[in-house]
Amino acid sequence: NIQTPKYIKFFNISIYGINQQLTIIQQLLLRFRKLPYPGDQAFLHKTFPGDFIWAVGTAAYQVEGAFEKDGKGLSIWDTFTRGGNRMATGDVGSDSYHNIRADVRAIRQLEVSHYRFSLSWSRIFPNGTRGSYNEIGTNYYRTLIRKLKENRVQPVVTLYHWDLPDHLQQTLGGWSNPDLVEIFRDYADFCFQTFGEDVKYWITIDNPFVVARHGYGTGVVAPGIKNDPDLPFRVGHNLLKAHAAAWHLYDRHYRPLQQGKVSMALSSHWIKPSRTSLESLRECQCSLDHVLGWFARPLFTDGDYPPCMKARLGSRLPTFTQEEREQVRGTADFFALSHGATLSFQLINDSLKFGQQEDLDLRMLLYWVNAEYDKPYVLGNTKTEDPKHMYYLKRFIAETLKSIVIDGVNVIGYTAWSLIDGFEWHREYGIRRGLYYVDFNTPDVKREPKTSATFYRQIRNGFPELPENRPAQGVFPCDFAWGVSANSIQVDVFVLWICVCQRRKESWEVTEDLFFYSLYVIQSLPPSLKVDDIRLIGVNHFHFSLNWSALVPTGDVAHPNTTLLGYYRCFTRQLLKANITPVVTLWHHTRQRSSLPAPLDNANKWLNRSDTTPEAFADYARLCYRELGAHVKMWITLNEPNDEMVSYQEGHQMLRAHALAWHAYHREFRQTQGGQVSLALHMDWVEPAFSFSREDVEPAKRVLDFRIGWFAEPIFGSGDYPLGMRSWLRQLNSLDLPVFNEEDRQLVKGTYDFFAISHFSTKLVTHAKEDSYTYTAMLEVQHMIDTTWIMSPRPVVPWGLRKALNWVREHYSHVPVYVMANGVQEDPARFKDSLRVYYLYNYINEALKAYTLDGVNLKGYFAYALSDQRDPGFGLYGQVHEEVIIKVSLSNYRNIIQHNGFPIQGAAPQQCPSLPQPCLGCHVLEKRPVVGFLTLVAQKFKHYPLRPLFCALIMSLSIFHSNQQSLSE
């Protein structure tokens, strides 16, 4: 339908033009097929080419100041900032006019090879023309260029960065007048002649889109004109012709001797479709055409405007004569591209998004430029919203590297914007984008490097692959615990029928007919995962949680739910028969519900008077040890109690409850049962945002003290809370943290047999407050993420697990460590769950590094979670209606388990003792076919005694492990 005459007439373009645009769109769609998701989004550890240009930039009006000194004329910005409701000016700015040495020193400290700056037209020609020549202003730039060359820094000079001499605006109407084409050519001629021997890169005009649309359309920037909706297009027309005139001048008269390059700096957003439709893709193309293509297509393609602009604007858009097309086409020696949050859409031009979604994706933009404009040389000029947030800088540089290495885009340089803080155009001094902080209140306008400057200086070679970045090869020990975890499990009705009815076989009449009838009822219920489903994964351990409120509904262990206890007893026995070791949590903390028995839940929960709850928990633990301990040799008392929503007083009682439960096992059950008991802590890693800054190392340590040390130090360490935690709260005059008396200290200290952690992701922290929504006032830390990380929805940061494991080793020596839960949330509908495959491979590989390289006493790894049914989005098993689906990640995890890690290719296989074979008769009942059901029901139902029929019906109910429902015998 695209190629119908109606479509062609509407867009006024040829079928060839349509197909050409669709080819580019198809290339964009195919773009990420080069590397499968999410590998294409993973961080790339590679280096830039040896001749890659590293630069930093500024603009004259933003930083120079001295707006009337030494004969300088007024610019349109000098006039604009004095009109309307403007509150600030660039009269002083960063005062670079008087601080050449300070600026050059900062450039030298960054170790960049190039410095991009702009010339103030009105400082050289105060009224805009050669007749008003100002020698002193010209000498300022001569001195700057000489100082740069003395420090082996190459100048990249912009002739026009938005600051037109005001005299030209007042007398001629500025860029709306075609006469400015020749005036600009003459100004460029002087600059080429005066500075050209030392300048090899020239930018004629910076961001003509902003000049035309916002200077002469919206009026938000100088000269502030906004009364003619068609004027921006006439201005853009003149800007293109002025650039072309300057380029041809250089090409004919200066290039043979000076050997430089000339271009126009264009800026652009990136736009992605709001819907997966061809129409949305066309609108994305049109959006890019109206911003970047407006100037790029005439320069790099055919000397004319994009078809989409011509079709939608019609006569509002000026036309080029054939001679003018030839004059404009090809007048760029490289593609100077600017991209960032404060560029084209800084003024929120929703009308140019055409209903699509803007996205900060420099890599896709570079790919589009490469495809659209036939592989030009690209000189990137990135401007970022917040320079203190160096991770935007890291992200853009990383995307540039991927464009070079993976996409084959010929990017030759990168310019970070900007060198120093300055006057930020329509935002005045409201934001700071410099790599160097400028104190505008000091007499010498002092410059200080920010963390982003330190980062930019260190990134010269890109991101080389260090030994810690490479995947590890090796295997775990033979007795390594491979497991899978689930928050809770749905009671398996079939197993329950076997357990209870077979147990009473002597007194009840259990016939084969009854068995088949019960099977039919079970099969009509929603599915629940069987032991065989766990065994299919290849694990040798299974971790699940009991529910205190369901097992002891009244809170009195003298009256437990014996049916549910019987089920768990049978379930754990079935696991053992399948060579799967049960790992059982007594109490799993959740924010949604306490899972405490009703009498305790209604009475201040863990803060019950007279220590009722900790003692009740110890009694509940004894019940579970006694009833299940024959089959369970690995116990978790409390799972993830160290939640930031838990008060310090509640946490104190939880510590006592854990300790009482541990001592109960140690004194009463360990000798006969031979098991182990500990608790599992949530331990996402916390990394300093700027690891080279002590100011951020301390906040990261503080967060770890409050999140992990809070529970870990009393048990695994000193028997008291971390010193850093106490001293910080004391500094805040807070009395919230309880004090351990000697009795409690002795009670809690050493109550562990292993260190178990749940780990999912990593966060960054800094001391500098930037966003109140992610700032923790009590700890005085700002939480952040690295924008290069894969998100889903939490960051995927494999090395964070290795750091967490090393934290445990460094603080508590060689304590045995288990990763009790590790997983990623992914769309449950994605059964080819490539993100989970990537996640498990890389996190397990980091665990291997911790074991083999760092000496962490790692004993086991548990993937989270078993099924989407109980843990939505995390499961190795998915579910559609009543059908259980095996995801791709399950087989990948099984493969890692079968190889016990990542064996060295060609190495001899690991020799491990053979495991005992599973019980051959354990699952015979499960595998009996359901046949003859209707006949059996019709002929034999009347023969069933009442009690066996009652048993069959009751056992066919699906009993859920929840607060709301418990079924007593």
Side-chain angles (χ1 to χ4, degrees):
N1 293 334
I2 294 171
Q3 298 180 2
T4 62
K6 181 179 179 181
Y7 178 92
I8 297 170
K9 182 178 181 180
F10 177 75
F11 280 97
N12 193 29
I13 53 178
S14 66
I15 293 176
Y16 171 79
I18 297 172
N19 288 338
Q20 189 177 39
Q21 287 200 13
L22 289 180
T23 299
I24 294 170
I25 293 171
Q26 289 168 350
Q27 287 175 338
L28 294 175
L29 287 175
L30 295 173
R31 160 67 190 78
F32 284 116
R33 294 185 184 178
K34 293 184 178 181
L35 288 176
Y37 176 82
D40 200 72
Q41 293 186 2
F43 195 80
L44 178 66
H45 289 282
K46 292 287 184 181
T47 57
F48 283 89
D51 58 351
F52 193 76
I53 295 172
W54 291 101
V56 67
T58 58
Y61 185 75
Q62 292 184 289
V63 300
E64 281 185 7
F67 84 110
E68 282 185 318
K69 191 167 184 178
D70 295 336
K72 176 186 174 296
L74 295 178
S75 76
I76 56 175
W77 273 94
D78 293 319
T79 304
F80 180 69
T81 54
R82 285 165 170 74
N85 298 320
R86 307 296 298 185
M87 303 296 293
T89 71
D91 290 359
V92 177
S94 310
D95 201 20
S96 287
Y97 187 79
H98 297 108
N99 285 278
I100 288 180
R101 290 187 177 181
D103 285 353
V104 173
R105 182 168 57 249
I107 295 166
R108 186 175 66 245
Q109 289 173 350
L110 290 174
E111 299 178 5
V112 295
S113 59
H114 290 66
Y115 174 49
R116 182 190 167 192
F117 63 93
S118 70
L119 306 175
S120 173
W121 189 344
S122 59
R123 194 177 296 283
I124 297 173
F125 295 165
N127 71 6
T129 60
R130 194 183 288 257
S132 62
Y133 171 64
N134 177 23
E135 179 72 19
I136 300 177
T138 304
N139 285 339
Y140 165 71
Y141 296 112
R142 286 195 179 105
T143 302
L144 174 59
I145 292 172
R146 186 180 72 251
K147 292 290 185 182
L148 291 172
K149 300 287 282 188
E150 288 173 358
N151 287 274
R152 298 182 180 179
V153 176
Q154 297 297 320
V156 179
V157 178
T158 300
L159 296 175
Y160 179 71
H161 199 128
W162 308 1
D163 52 350
L164 185 73
D166 190 58
H167 179 77
L168 296 178
Q169 182 65 42
Q170 300 302 325
T171 59
L172 299 176
W175 286 107
S176 65
N177 192 326
D179 290 347
L180 239 66
V181 173
E182 187 58 33
I183 294 173
F184 179 76
R185 181 186 180 280
D186 188 55
Y187 162 60
D189 184 35
F190 173 83
C191 295
F192 294 150
Q193 182 179 16
T194 305
F195 310 115
E197 289 185 7
D198 295 313
V199 178
K200 302 306 176 188
Y201 283 98
W202 292 94
I203 302 293
T204 56
I205 299 167
D206 181 86
N207 203 340
F209 172 84
V210 168
V211 175
R213 183 173 179 84
H214 296 310
Y216 293 84
T218 65
V220 178
V221 302
I225 296 172
K226 53 183 177 181
N227 56 2
D228 183 350
D230 296 340
L231 182 58
F233 305 114
R234 298 199 297 274
V235 168
H237 204 67
N238 291 332
L239 290 170
L240 278 166
K241 291 198 288 185
H243 157 79
W247 187 91
H248 283 292
L249 170 70
Y250 187 87
D251 190 55
R252 293 166 187 163
H253 298 288
Y254 295 99
R255 193 190 303 275
L257 293 177
Q258 296 179 2
Q259 297 295 305
K261 298 178 184 295
V262 181
S263 190
M264 175 188 276
L266 307 180
S267 68
S268 185
H269 61 309
W270 176 249
I271 200 89
K272 62 183 182 180
S274 57
R275 299 180 304 277
T276 55
S277 66
L278 187 59
E279 180 61 31
S280 287
L281 288 170
R282 283 198 300 265
E283 293 301 288
C284 287
Q285 175 78 23
C286 206
S287 176
L288 291 167
D289 280 344
H290 274 73
V291 179
L292 180 59
W294 181 3
F295 300 94
R297 187 178 178 98
L299 296 180
F300 290 93
T301 305
D302 58 5
D304 202 359
Y305 295 115
C308 179
M309 285 190 75
K310 295 169 70 174
R312 298 196 180 189
L313 295 173
S315 61
R316 297 176 60 194
L317 191 66
T319 58
F320 288 108
T321 65
Q322 186 61 39
E323 182 182 355
E324 288 173 334
R325 287 186 185 183
E326 294 301 320
Q327 180 77 3
V328 171
R329 182 173 63 87
T331 57
D333 300 321
F334 55 93
F335 201 114
L337 177 67
S338 298
H339 176 70
T342 59
L343 290 174
S344 302
F345 284 138
Q346 59 180 324
L347 306 176
I348 316 176
N349 290 291
D350 289 334
S351 63
L352 290 181
K353 296 178 185 178
F354 300 131
Q356 309 311 307
Q357 298 176 0
E358 186 187 359
D359 191 23
L360 278 177
D361 196 328
L362 176 59
R363 183 181 175 192
M364 282 299 293
L365 178 60
L366 287 170
Y367 184 85
W368 185 83
V369 168
N370 194 58
E372 182 85 347
Y373 302 114
D374 195 24
K375 300 185 170 86
Y377 292 96
V378 181
L379 184 64
N381 173 36
T382 301
K383 304 181 181 181
T384 59
E385 175 78 22
D386 186 355
K388 292 178 70 175
H389 199 323
M390 74 173 191
Y391 289 96
Y392 274 113
L393 195 61
K394 179 182 178 183
R395 171 183 172 181
F396 289 132
I397 294 173
E399 288 178 353
T400 302
L401 182 60
K402 285 185 176 180
S403 293
I404 297 170
V405 175
I406 299 175
D407 306 332
V409 181
N410 191 13
V411 185
I412 62 172
Y414 182 94
T415 304
W417 198 273
S418 61
L419 172 65
I420 53 179
D421 293 336
F423 180 83
E424 291 297 335
W425 308 113
H426 68 288
R427 296 190 179 187
E428 300 176 350
Y429 297 99
I431 61 172
R432 289 176 176 266
R433 292 195 289 158
L435 298 175
Y436 279 76
Y437 173 83
V438 175
D439 189 343
F440 299 109
N441 297 318
T442 56
D444 59 348
V445 198
K446 186 178 180 181
R447 284 111 161 98
E448 293 182 23
K450 301 178 186 177
T451 48
S452 52
T454 305
F455 169 77
Y456 193 53
R457 183 176 67 246
Q458 294 176 344
I459 213 67
R460 259 336 129 250
N461 196 32
F463 310 97
E465 186 179 52
L466 303 174
E468 58 264 32
N469 305 139
R470 301 181 189 124
Q473 289 185 301
V475 293
F476 291 96
C478 290
D479 61 350
F480 194 73
W482 291 103
V484 63
S485 290
N487 277 342
S488 57
I489 59 170
Q490 180 176 323
V491 173
D492 189 321
V493 183
F494 188 31
V495 174
L496 185 60
W497 189 91
I498 296 171
C499 295
V500 178
C501 289
Q502 279 197 339
R503 186 180 64 180
R504 302 185 176 181
K505 194 170 184 179
E506 295 178 359
S507 58
W508 291 7
E509 180 183 353
V510 182
T511 66
E512 185 173 348
D513 301 60
L514 176 59
F515 166 69
F516 284 139
Y517 179 75
S518 182
L519 258 185
Y520 171 78
V521 177
I522 291 167
Q523 289 186 347
S524 69
L525 296 171
S528 59
L529 291 164
K530 311 290 192 300
V531 172
D532 274 348
D533 296 313
I534 301 170
R535 187 169 59 177
L536 179 63
I537 302 172
V539 296
N540 49 42
H541 286 66
F542 177 59
H543 174 214
F544 65 96
S545 301
L546 306 179
N547 190 310
W548 186 1
S549 62
L551 282 170
V552 189
T554 65
D556 184 357
V557 294
H559 301 91
N561 182 338
T562 55
T563 300
L564 202 52
L565 269 175
Y567 165 74
Y568 285 124
R569 190 163 45 243
C570 184
F571 180 67
T572 53
R573 185 169 62 245
Q574 293 288 322
L575 287 172
L576 286 175
K577 289 179 179 179
N579 290 328
I580 300 172
T581 300
V583 182
V584 177
T585 287
L586 296 175
W587 184 75
H588 188 111
H589 170 72
T590 61
R591 294 185 181 184
Q592 292 77 16
R593 57 181 184 272
S594 71
S595 296
L596 298 177
L600 298 175
D601 196 30
N602 296 330
N604 297 322
K605 300 183 172 71
W606 287 100
L607 296 179
N608 226 316
R609 294 182 179 179
S610 303
D611 299 333
T612 303
T613 303
E615 294 289 353
F617 181 76
D619 290 338
Y620 159 63
R622 287 186 181 90
L623 170 69
C624 296
Y625 298 153
R626 184 171 59 249
E627 295 293 327
L628 306 177
H631 307 130
V632 178
K633 306 304 178 188
M634 194 169 178
W635 294 93
I636 303 292
T637 56
L638 309 175
N639 193 81
E640 302 182 7
N642 56 324
D643 188 287
E644 60 186 13
M645 301 302 292
V646 172
S647 70
Y648 298 133
Q649 289 78 14
E650 289 176 305
H652 199 75
Q653 295 306 313
M654 289 179 183
L655 282 166
R656 295 187 69 257
H658 157 77
L660 289 170
W662 188 90
H663 283 293
Y665 190 88
H666 186 67
R667 293 167 183 165
E668 303 170 33
F669 299 94
R670 189 186 299 275
Q671 188 172 358
T672 57
Q673 295 182 0
Q676 295 182 314
V677 182
S678 197
L679 82 170
L681 300 178
H682 184 94
M683 194 179 180
D684 280 355
W685 183 243
V686 179
E687 181 76 1
F690 310 110
S691 57
F692 41 78
S693 168
R694 182 174 178 80
E695 289 183 322
D696 281 347
V697 172
E698 288 299 322
K701 182 180 182 301
R702 186 185 316 142
V703 173
L704 290 169
D705 276 346
F706 274 80
R707 295 289 181 261
I708 313 301
W710 174 24
F711 273 76
E713 187 61 19
I715 296 171
F716 298 89
S718 64
D720 198 355
Y721 296 114
L723 290 175
M725 190 177 181
R726 282 206 182 278
S727 61
W728 182 261
L729 291 173
R730 192 180 302 117
Q731 176 183 321
L732 298 177
N733 296 318
S734 172
L735 301 176
D736 289 342
L737 194 62
V739 176
F740 280 100
N741 58 39
E742 188 57 31
E743 181 182 353
D744 281 349
R745 184 191 297 267
Q746 295 303 320
L747 173 70
V748 172
K749 184 177 179 181
T751 54
Y752 68 90
D753 294 308
F754 52 87
F755 198 116
I757 65 170
S758 299
H759 176 90
F760 297 91
S761 186
T762 293
K763 284 187 178 179
L764 301 170
V765 293
T766 178
H767 70 286
K769 181 178 180 180
E770 291 186 350
D771 182 355
S772 58
Y773 291 102
T774 55
Y775 184 77
T776 303
M778 194 271 284
L779 295 181
E780 296 182 9
V781 294
Q782 176 73 56
H783 293 272
M784 302 160 32
I785 62 167
D786 183 335
T787 56
T788 65
W789 290 342
I790 299 171
M791 299 293 295
S792 184
R794 290 181 286 191
V796 176
V797 192
W799 52 258
L801 175 58
R802 182 180 179 184
K803 292 204 171 190
L805 292 171
N806 272 281
W807 185 95
V808 176
R809 178 186 60 82
E810 290 164 5
H811 284 74
Y812 306 114
S813 189
H814 291 285
V815 60
V817 186
Y818 289 86
V819 178
M820 198 54 65
N822 179 239
V824 66
Q825 189 173 10
E826 190 170 7
D827 184 353
R830 292 178 64 97
F831 299 131
K832 293 184 178 179
D833 50 346
S834 52
L835 176 61
R836 186 170 291 103
V837 171
Y838 174 90
Y839 184 99
L840 291 175
Y841 177 93
N842 286 281
Y843 273 80
I844 295 172
N845 197 265
E846 291 296 321
L848 179 65
K849 293 176 187 177
Y851 170 72
T852 59
L853 302 178
D854 307 332
V856 176
N857 189 15
L858 186 61
K859 293 293 186 181
Y861 173 91
F862 289 68
Y864 179 83
L866 179 64
S867 167
D868 283 338
Q869 187 178 17
R870 305 301 294 169
D871 303 287
F874 283 92
L876 297 172
Y877 284 98
Q879 189 171 333
V880 176
H881 303 299
E882 296 184 359
E883 182 182 1
V884 174
I885 306 295
I886 298 174
K887 297 184 183 178
V888 172
S889 59
L890 188 150
S891 58
N892 278 267
Y893 184 40
R894 181 174 60 218
N895 183 60
I896 294 173
I897 295 171
Q898 288 172 346
H899 291 88
N900 207 26
F902 309 90
I904 299 172
Q905 189 172 7
Q910 184 181 24
Q911 298 298 318
C912 290
S914 59
L915 296 174
Q917 294 301 310
C919 171
L920 297 177
C922 295
H923 304 283
V924 62
L925 290 175
E926 293 184 71
K927 297 179 180 178
R928 287 292 299 273
V930 181
V931 294
F933 162 72
L934 292 176
T935 304
L936 284 170
V937 172
Q939 295 181 356
K940 299 189 179 182
F941 184 85
K942 62 181 180 178
H943 299 300
Y944 289 144
L946 178 60
R947 291 186 66 190
L949 176 59
F950 181 74
C951 174
L953 294 175
I954 290 295
M955 293 310 106
S956 297
L957 293 175
S958 182
I959 306 170
F960 289 91
H961 191 179
S962 65
N963 280 338
Q964 290 75 29
Q965 183 176 5
S966 63
L967 184 65
S968 64
E969 189 176 1

